[in-house]
Amino acid sequence: MNSTSTHFVPPRRVGIYEPVHQFGMWGESFKSNIGNGNMNTPSHIIIPANNQKLDNNLSEETSHGTAGTPHMFDQEASTSRNPDKIQRRLAQNREAARKSRLRKKAYVQQLETSRLKLIQLEQELDRARQQGFYVGNGIETNSLGFSETMNPGIAAFEMEYGHWVEEQNRQICELRTVLHGHINDVELCLLVETAMKHYFELFKMKSTAAKADVFFVMSGMWKTSAERFFLWIGGFRPSDLLKVLLPHFDILTDQQILDVCNLRQSCQQAEDALSQGMEKLQHTLADCVAGGQLGGGSYIPQVNSAIDRLEALVSFVNQADHLRHETLQQMYRILTTRQAARGLLALGEYFQRLRALSSSWATRHREPT
Amino acid sequence: MDKVVRMSSEKGVVIFSKSSCCLSYAVQVLFQDLGVHPTIHEIDKDPECREIEKALMRLGCSTPVPAIFVGGKLIGSTNEVMSLHLSGSLVPLVKPFQANLC
């Protein structure tokens, strides 16, 4: 075997001893230093017998000065005469290689997890920017906090809500198109019913989300900032809905005017009743938390009894959505199909304008004056 | 349950509630807004609370409280009251029991 061949260890020889060269790689904090130095180490193990040429090759190779594993070369020289030591050395190498593989696996898994987390964070940032949040460079933290997405129920809801808004925008577009064109009543009726069902679908989603985290739904963090300004028990005020819609109806019959009037009044009364119920809940909760001794450092019993009370919050959120549902339902009953279509278009555009206001405000806030 | 039948058949609007139930309080407020003074039975203060709860559920209430009866007839819970009110059917129902405004 001439000296040049030791530089190029044929694959079939290296094959079984591949772990050794990997050990060299991982042993030094992932330097991609596969290089020549490591490729040479197998040759010493393959040739167990004393080999003057081998020793010479040894010195040649060390002089190449790779950042390989020089200490291995020294040990190899002393075992080349002793088969037992060689076997032990082989076993040690195998063990070292095994550990190296495990370390590599753990490291790669860590990289993978971090990568997925990074993708997730980037998606959240994008979504937050779209929704008009002021997303700073990390120095300013917004109260949204990404801990919200740790709750799978809430993460699912946020994703579904994103789709809901997209579908909403599409429906608004369609309504606008057909109302400016010609459409028969049957088809229009279908569009109106689809739009109504879409709102009802949102209430169902919110009900599920409220069970996962009622504070999240109550806070309206899934809505844009301007929408949150008008928040009432986790959503829009039903009486606001009527206020937004009514000016858009040109010709109403006397019966319709009466019905609408009655609806406005009963809606307001129901809203007031729920608001007062909420106030009572706040007071009872505050009393609960402030109960016993303050200043003693204990809080477990107070927190536990408060948690019992918080269940009531879920029913309030559901009740508020029920009120929104019924308000929409009654409007649908009072109005003609065409009027209902125009109403739904107006309502949809109103929310779109609020969302646009949120993102405009966020952008304006960011621009230097 | 006799007790429940007796209590629910009282004249006017009867609300079964619990002292801790804020939704029951909201329903109370609504009726008061309509000029009605409902009779409130806080069942958590009653020694037979569990039996009353079961009886109310058996009568068809989805939740034991609040349970609203008008003129001896079960209306339902908060959902039903709200739906009735928004459709305009609640006021005619309680009209005979509205307090005289004098």
Side-chain angles (χ1 to χ4, degrees):
Chain A
M1 187 166 121
N2 56 28
S3 57
T4 46
S5 70
T6 56
H7 292 271
F8 306 100
V9 179
R12 57 186 167 83
R13 274 177 170 175
V14 177
I16 1 167
Y17 295 101
E18 198 184 352
V20 178
H21 111 276
Q22 276 191 347
F23 167 71
M25 189 165 78
W26 290 102
E28 296 152 355
S29 61
F30 195 35
K31 273 191 226 129
S32 55
N33 210 352
I34 301 169
N36 297 329
N38 293 325
M39 287 294 264
N40 288 323
T41 54
S43 59
H44 307 297
I45 302 163
I46 295 166
I47 307 164
N50 178 27
N51 195 330
Q52 203 62 32
K53 231 195 292 186
L54 187 64
D55 290 338
N56 288 339
N57 289 340
L58 261 173
S59 45
E60 270 181 39
E61 280 137 32
T62 44
S63 69
H64 287 306
T66 58
T69 53
H71 60 279
M72 262 177 76
F73 288 71
D74 298 327
Q75 285 162 341
E76 292 314 317
S78 63
T79 57
S80 56
R81 287 182 188 80
N82 193 333
D84 282 341
K85 277 196 186 162
I86 288 161
Q87 288 309 311
R88 202 179 40 175
R89 171 52 53 186
L90 285 173
Q92 282 172 344
N93 281 347
R94 274 196 293 276
E95 185 53 33
R98 193 182 70 86
K99 284 191 182 137
S100 163
R101 277 197 300 278
L102 287 172
R103 276 201 303 277
K104 175 182 178 181
K105 193 175 169 196
Y107 182 73
V108 168
Q109 269 175 348
Q110 206 183 18
L111 277 178
E112 278 296 308
T113 318
S114 303
R115 190 176 137 263
L116 284 173
K117 177 97 193 164
L118 184 63
I119 291 171
Q120 189 191 350
L121 282 173
E122 280 173 349
Q123 281 174 347
E124 281 169 22
L125 270 176
D126 274 337
R127 202 169 359 108
R129 284 205 185 94
Q130 270 172 26
Q131 288 194 12
F133 286 124
Y134 175 38
V135 184
N137 54 6
I139 296 171
E140 277 179 75
T141 52
N142 65 26
S143 55
L144 176 61
F146 294 116
S147 61
E148 243 81 63
T149 53
M150 286 302 136
N151 184 330
I154 297 302
F157 172 75
E158 282 192 300
M159 215 173 58
E160 279 173 26
Y161 181 66
H163 296 149
W164 188 90
V165 172
E166 279 170 21
E167 174 61 20
Q168 179 77 341
N169 290 337
R170 195 199 61 76
Q171 284 182 5
I172 292 167
C173 236
E174 196 173 5
L175 273 173
R176 199 181 297 128
T177 315
V178 301
L179 282 174
H180 285 135
H182 294 288
I183 184 174
N184 68 55
D185 263 9
V186 171
E187 282 176 26
L188 189 61
C189 197
L190 204 61
L191 275 181
V192 166
E193 281 185 8
T194 310
M196 298 276 287
K197 282 202 200 108
H198 195 56
Y199 278 109
F200 300 160
E201 193 53 48
L202 177 62
F203 302 146
K204 269 192 237 137
M205 281 159 56
K206 282 169 70 184
S207 182
T208 313
K211 287 196 202 94
D213 183 354
V214 70
F215 280 133
F216 180 78
V217 177
M218 278 290 296
S219 69
M221 289 314 291
W222 42 283
K223 287 186 178 252
T224 63
S225 31
E227 287 174 291
R228 261 180 284 140
F229 181 65
F230 297 102
L231 205 71
W232 177 78
I233 311 186
F236 62 83
R237 259 181 203 280
S239 53
D240 276 352
L241 185 160
L242 295 174
K243 261 183 237 144
V244 163
L245 292 190
L246 287 176
H248 297 273
F249 300 125
D250 31 16
I251 302 161
L252 291 176
T253 65
D254 286 344
Q255 183 61 47
Q256 281 180 320
I257 293 172
L258 185 66
D259 285 341
V260 165
C261 215
N262 287 334
L263 181 62
R264 282 189 84 162
Q265 189 183 34
S266 43
C267 187
Q268 192 65 59
Q269 285 167 331
E271 232 176 80
D272 288 343
L274 279 185
S275 296
Q276 290 193 46
M278 269 296 288
E279 262 185 57
K280 178 156 195 261
L281 183 59
Q282 279 185 323
H283 289 149
T284 23
L285 203 60
D287 287 343
C288 226
V289 172
Q293 282 197 345
L294 274 171
S298 77
Y299 55 84
I300 306 279
Q302 288 80 9
V303 166
N304 283 339
S305 75
I307 284 183
D308 290 335
R309 298 259 182 229
L310 280 175
E311 290 302 326
L313 204 53
V314 179
S315 11
F316 267 96
V317 170
N318 287 336
Q319 215 36 243
D321 276 342
H322 177 71
L323 200 60
R324 291 173 189 115
H325 185 299
E326 289 300 293
T327 308
L328 283 167
Q329 195 73 54
Q330 288 303 317
M331 279 303 279
Y332 179 62
R333 184 184 64 82
I334 295 170
L335 300 170
T336 66
T337 310
R338 196 154 280 267
Q339 286 170 332
R342 257 185 251 126
L344 285 164
L345 175 59
L347 186 65
E349 277 203 18
Y350 173 70
F351 289 128
Q352 277 180 336
R353 287 186 191 177
L354 283 180
R355 284 183 220 119
L357 173 62
S358 304
S359 45
S360 296
W361 180 256
T363 324
R364 172 177 168 272
H365 205 62
R366 258 189 271 162
E367 278 167 19
T369 42
Chain B
M1 188 186 176
D2 288 341
K3 192 170 186 174
V4 169
V5 171
R6 184 175 39 83
M7 289 197 286
S8 62
S9 316
E10 282 163 17
K11 204 169 151 238
V13 177
V14 178
I15 304 179
F16 288 89
S17 88
K18 285 187 186 162
S19 51
S20 56
C21 182
C22 297
L23 215 50
S24 305
Y25 178 70
V27 171
Q28 220 179 301
V29 166
L30 180 63
F31 278 112
Q32 279 164 358
D33 223 0
L34 301 180
V36 179
H37 297 303
T39 313
I40 318 287
H41 292 294
E42 288 183 343
I43 66 173
D44 56 324
K45 301 225 171 99
D46 195 303
E48 293 176 288
C49 179
R50 292 302 318 265
E51 283 73 38
I52 297 176
E53 267 188 38
K54 281 190 218 150
L56 286 170
M57 302 280 278
R58 251 181 278 125
L59 284 171
C61 299
S62 46
T63 50
V65 292
I68 299 101
F69 290 77
V70 175
K73 215 173 66 142
L74 173 66
I75 300 300
S77 191
T78 325
N79 264 11
E80 287 74 32
V81 169
M82 295 293 179
S83 303
L84 276 174
H85 191 41
L86 256 65
S87 65
S89 316
L90 191 64
V91 169
L93 213 58
V94 301
K95 219 176 176 74
F97 311 110
Q98 278 175 328
N100 290 335
L101 304 155
C102 43

